[in-house]
């Protein structure tokens, strides 16, 4: 499976086996920046930038890939995504968490099932563009930042 994001607020999901289009999610409620797929391929996280046209803050939208329906929106007042690419990451023993960095150096952890913000870590001093969980040790994660630090 492959996915293509566009600035016209569409997400096209393609099959890599037959080059056919599986699904097009159009009229996304955000400006999509990056996407991540849970390890079981059941949940898609779409990182959304600030949308000044409708005064919407940055957030992460979750979609069920079995039905292609919207699940929930992950938001936090401290989550900032104006300019940079920030990629969400699934983690925990059963991918029950989504972690996303922020332009202000803060890491946010949300519960996938409820959408609740469960943890905020202020570990970096600048933009955190990437966080990743270990597939072998689900409690282990790493983040990298423009502050020239990698934190495990």
């Amino acid at each position: 499976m492959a996915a293509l994001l566009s600035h016209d607020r569409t997400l096209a999901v393609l099959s890599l086996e037959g080059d056919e289009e599986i699904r097009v999610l159009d009229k996304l409620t955000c400006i999509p920046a990056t996407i991540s797929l849970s390890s079981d391929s059941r949940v898609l996280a779409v990182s959304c930038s600030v949308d000044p046209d409708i005064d919407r803050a940055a957030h992460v939208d979750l979609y069920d890939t079995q039905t292609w329906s919207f699940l929930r929106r992950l938001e936090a007042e401290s989550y900032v995504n104006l300019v940079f690419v920030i990629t969400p990451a699934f983690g925990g023993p059963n991918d029950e968490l989504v972690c996303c960095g922020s332009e202000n150096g803060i890491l946010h952890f949300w519960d996938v099932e409820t959408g609740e913000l469960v943890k905020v870590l202020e570990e970096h001093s600048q933009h955190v563009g990437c966080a990743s969980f270990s597939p072998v040790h689900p409690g282990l994660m790493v983040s990298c930042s423009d502050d020239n630090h990698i934190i495990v």
Side-chain angles (χ1 to χ4, degrees):
M1 190 170 20
L4 303 171
L5 289 173
S6 71
H7 279 285
D8 67 352
R9 299 174 194 241
T10 61
L11 169 69
V13 181
L14 311 171
S15 168
L16 293 178
E17 295 171 5
D19 291 335
E20 74 237 21
E21 197 168 78
I22 296 173
R23 177 76 177 177
V24 174
L25 293 175
D26 57 357
K27 298 183 178 132
L28 293 174
T29 60
C30 69
I31 299 171
T34 62
I35 58 172
S36 292
L37 194 59
S38 63
S39 62
D40 63 4
S41 299
R42 292 179 177 260
V43 180
L44 180 73
V46 179
S47 173
C48 300
S49 300
V50 167
D51 190 342
D53 291 339
I54 57 174
D55 195 27
R56 177 165 287 143
H59 58 276
V60 177
D61 283 343
L62 300 181
Y63 292 88
D64 180 321
T65 61
Q66 306 303 302
T67 62
W68 293 107
S69 58
F70 174 79
L71 292 173
R72 67 196 42 83
R73 176 160 293 148
L74 308 177
E75 298 177 293
E77 287 185 26
S78 58
Y79 179 60
V80 179
N81 186 0
L82 298 168
V83 179
F84 296 102
V85 172
I86 299 173
T87 304
F90 286 89
N94 301 301
D95 279 355
E96 66 273 11
L97 295 173
V98 167
C99 175
C100 207
S102 183
E103 290 185 18
N104 56 11
I106 298 174
L107 289 162
H108 300 82
F109 296 83
W110 289 277
D111 182 287
V112 170
E113 192 65 34
T114 65
E116 178 186 356
L117 181 65
V118 294
K119 189 77 172 168
V120 173
L121 296 176
E122 298 182 32
E123 299 294 328
H124 291 284
S125 62
Q126 294 182 26
H127 163 248
V128 180
C130 187
S132 185
F133 288 86
S134 168
V136 177
H137 304 287
L140 182 66
M141 69 154 299
V142 63
S143 62
C144 62
S145 168
D146 288 350
D147 63 9
N148 296 320
H149 289 94
I150 296 172
I151 298 176
V152 179

